[in-house]
Amino acid sequence: MLPVGLAAEARTLTGWGRTMPVTAQVVRPGSLQQLQELMRQASPGSLIPRGLGRSYGDAAQLQNAGVIDLSAFEDIHLEPTSATMTAGAGVSLNQLLRVLVPSGFFLPVTPGTRNVTVGGAIAADVHGKNHHIDGSFGNHVKRLLLVDGRGQLRDLQPEADSAEEREMFWATIGGMGLTGVIVEATFSLISISSSLISVDTTRYQDLEVLMAAMVDADSRYRYSVAWVDSLDPRGRGVLSCGDHAPASRREVSQQGDPLAYDPKALASAPPFLPGGLLNKLTVRAFNEAWYRKAPKQREGELQAIGPYFHPLDGVQDWNRIYGPAGFLQYQFAVPDGAAHLVAHTLESLRKVGAPSFLTVLKRFGPSNSALLSFPMPGWTLAADVSAAVPGLREVLNQLDEEVAAAGGRLYLAKDSRQSAAMVRRTYPQLEEWQRVRGLMDPRGVLDSDLARRTGLT
């Protein structure tokens, strides 16, 4: 039974990869009180919060149970003097950027899409192109308001006087929405004087040379990312490094408001593509064009925020290009000593015939205190591949073993297939997280298909 004034709508849900569809009852509490009452009345294993559905797998869905839509929690408050923002959990990063950039601020961390909610960014502890300098989103959260499994409102801070509250804070960062329902967060911002990024771009014909250049870039740039040609045996790629450009860098053609910000989606993928557009031929053609369009070397190019940070947001529903079978992303992190797994993974995907047009390599800096946070010092590779490739899962299972043996792990927010045994091996603080979660949700009200599949709950 739902609290008075709440109604549930039956919907089919999937992650961004469009695999593993489920039917769930979506409920949208319109106030904090309704949310608290919903949590108090809920039965064990019956609810999970959901933002904009950009987790690739099954993290924000729950078969034949309840999914909480937090879009009513949409307040935004910018505090310029302290360079902080307080926002509701249902506010998207896109909404925040439209307020922040014209005011001379930028998000402390942004992932590869701006279509992520504040609650989702915290629950997944998202990372961006600046992890080697600024860490992940959780590093910058100053305060969380959260409704726990009892329906109790908790005010959590990373430096709270109570050790138990500090534990609860860091269990919630990266906790995949399973410790409580985030309703509001306060986080620090980056001050900027223009909406442009000064970008240095370099093409490399060899993966080993590219990776050496990325290590060198760690100390010289705030933002760094490499695109790698997944079909090229040499691992050629393009490295893009950037920093926020000062207002004085605006060129004649860009005169006007130095903090102007108006990103637009340029096109939309067709709603149905038989078999998808991606195969070896189309990916090879795309990769050749993408590599050739990049300059051999260019310094100080001024790029807008959208094209640099969120290039795929320029195409609405781009996940449809993989066809009705959907796709999965294989993203792992490994320490510097296991850098060879980057080339090995790309070779394994080539052998099984799993072309990826979106293959991204980044550097990670130090981890934070979050018990289930994904980043660790070293490397992270992310490759999107069609879920319909024969033999793909067997190859990925073998790669899992090698990642685990090297001290690495897979990203829960992108995962759609790893085993419970893999999670136990690669997240060494899992039992501690489960203990703290038990304090916050003793009845186990919150659950998800991801949590059930991987043994988190």
Side-chain angles (χ1 to χ4, degrees):
M1 176 177 289
L2 293 172
V4 175
L6 280 182
E9 176 190 0
R11 289 171 52 190
T12 299
L13 301 175
T14 71
W16 188 243
R18 301 176 66 238
T19 57
M20 299 180 292
V22 301
T23 299
Q25 300 293 320
V26 179
V27 59
R28 182 181 182 271
S31 68
L32 175 60
Q33 291 72 27
Q34 281 190 334
L35 175 59
Q36 289 179 282
E37 192 59 30
L38 176 66
M39 296 296 286
R40 292 187 189 110
Q41 295 186 19
S43 57
S46 64
L47 292 172
I48 188 67
R50 181 181 176 93
L52 291 173
R54 287 304 179 104
S55 290
Y56 281 40
D58 50 0
Q61 62 189 50
L62 190 54
Q63 174 73 50
N64 296 325
V67 171
I68 306 172
D69 175 351
L70 295 169
S71 57
F73 295 84
E74 56 183 1
D75 290 345
I76 298 175
H77 177 69
L78 172 63
E79 183 49 65
T81 56
S82 61
T84 59
M85 167 70 82
T86 298
V91 177
S92 71
L93 301 190
N94 181 44
Q95 291 171 285
L96 292 182
L97 287 168
R98 292 179 183 276
V99 173
L100 290 175
V101 176
S103 301
F105 295 99
F106 193 66
L107 292 165
V109 170
T110 178
T113 175
R114 58 184 179 265
N115 297 312
V116 174
T117 62
V118 169
I122 294 168
D125 195 20
V126 297
H127 54 272
K129 298 174 174 65
N130 57 334
H131 191 278
H132 60 288
I133 298 293
D134 297 310
S136 51
F137 199 92
N139 293 51
H140 307 275
V141 177
K142 305 297 183 184
R143 176 173 172 262
L144 284 175
L145 287 183
L146 170 143
V147 175
D148 69 13
R150 294 187 179 94
Q152 177 182 341
L153 183 64
R154 293 186 178 273
D155 187 333
L156 303 177
Q157 300 176 41
E159 299 179 0
D161 293 335
S162 163
E164 185 175 88
E165 289 184 353
R166 293 195 298 272
E167 288 180 332
M168 291 179 177
F169 177 90
W170 287 113
T172 300
I173 303 293
M176 303 308 295
L178 296 165
T179 62
V181 181
I182 299 165
V183 295
E184 184 180 275
T186 300
F187 46 92
S188 58
L189 304 168
I190 296 171
S191 295
I192 58 174
S193 60
S194 87
S195 59
L196 296 174
I197 311 298
S198 177
V199 181
D200 292 352
T201 304
T202 309
R203 281 189 343 208
Y204 293 92
Q205 295 183 340
D206 176 85
L207 181 61
E208 185 175 348
V209 178
L210 167 62
M211 293 175 72
M214 293 182 73
V215 173
D216 179 65
D218 280 353
S219 60
R220 298 194 296 120
Y221 299 92
R222 184 169 214 155
Y223 302 106
S224 173
V225 65
W227 168 85
V228 180
D229 185 346
S230 65
L231 292 178
D232 180 46
R234 299 167 299 174
R236 65 180 180 177
V238 179
L239 175 60
S240 299
C241 300
D243 290 290
H244 292 282
S248 59
R249 278 288 325 273
R250 293 182 70 86
E251 298 171 348
V252 173
S253 61
Q254 297 163 323
Q255 293 304 313
D257 183 359
L259 293 168
Y261 176 74
D262 186 24
K264 294 180 174 64
L266 302 180
S268 181
F272 179 69
L273 299 170
L277 285 178
L278 298 187
N279 53 52
K280 284 186 180 180
L281 292 177
T282 58
V283 171
R284 192 178 302 280
F286 173 88
N287 286 0
E288 180 68 22
W290 192 263
Y291 181 78
R292 294 298 173 191
K293 87 175 184 65
K296 290 184 177 180
Q297 186 165 11
R298 181 167 56 201
E299 296 184 355
E301 179 190 11
L302 295 178
Q303 295 187 17
I305 286 170
Y308 185 70
F309 289 103
H310 315 122
L312 282 178
D313 284 348
V315 181
Q316 294 181 9
D317 301 324
W318 61 263
N319 56 340
R320 292 174 176 169
I321 66 176
Y322 291 88
F327 75 102
L328 59 84
Q329 183 176 102
Y330 191 69
Q331 181 170 6
F332 64 82
V334 289
D336 282 316
H340 65 279
L341 284 179
V342 173
H344 174 64
T345 298
L346 294 173
E347 181 183 9
S348 298
L349 293 176
R350 284 195 300 272
K351 284 183 177 179
V352 78
S356 169
F357 87 97
L358 183 64
T359 310
V360 176
L361 183 63
K362 292 197 290 281
R363 296 281 295 154
F364 277 161
S367 305
N368 60 23
S369 299
L371 301 176
L372 290 186
S373 185
F374 167 66
M376 62 173 62
W379 297 94
T380 180
L381 178 75
D384 290 354
V385 295
S386 170
V389 173
L392 175 64
R393 292 182 182 267
E394 291 78 9
V395 168
L396 295 183
N397 289 341
Q398 178 58 41
L399 289 172
D400 287 355
E401 291 295 317
E402 297 175 63
V403 167
R409 53 179 168 250
L410 306 182
Y411 191 15
L412 292 171
K414 299 293 183 65
D415 175 58
S416 60
R417 41 150 301 277
Q418 72 174 304
S419 67
M422 178 70 177
V423 173
R424 286 195 302 272
R425 288 178 63 189
T426 57
Y427 283 86
Q429 295 175 291
L430 174 61
E431 290 187 3
E432 177 65 8
W433 178 83
Q434 290 172 328
R435 180 188 68 80
V436 179
R437 177 184 178 273
L439 298 175
M440 302 177 73
D441 184 13
R443 294 187 298 126
V445 166
L446 294 165
D447 206 350
S448 68
D449 291 343
L450 167 77
R452 292 174 177 178
R453 174 172 56 81
T454 60
L456 292 178
T457 54

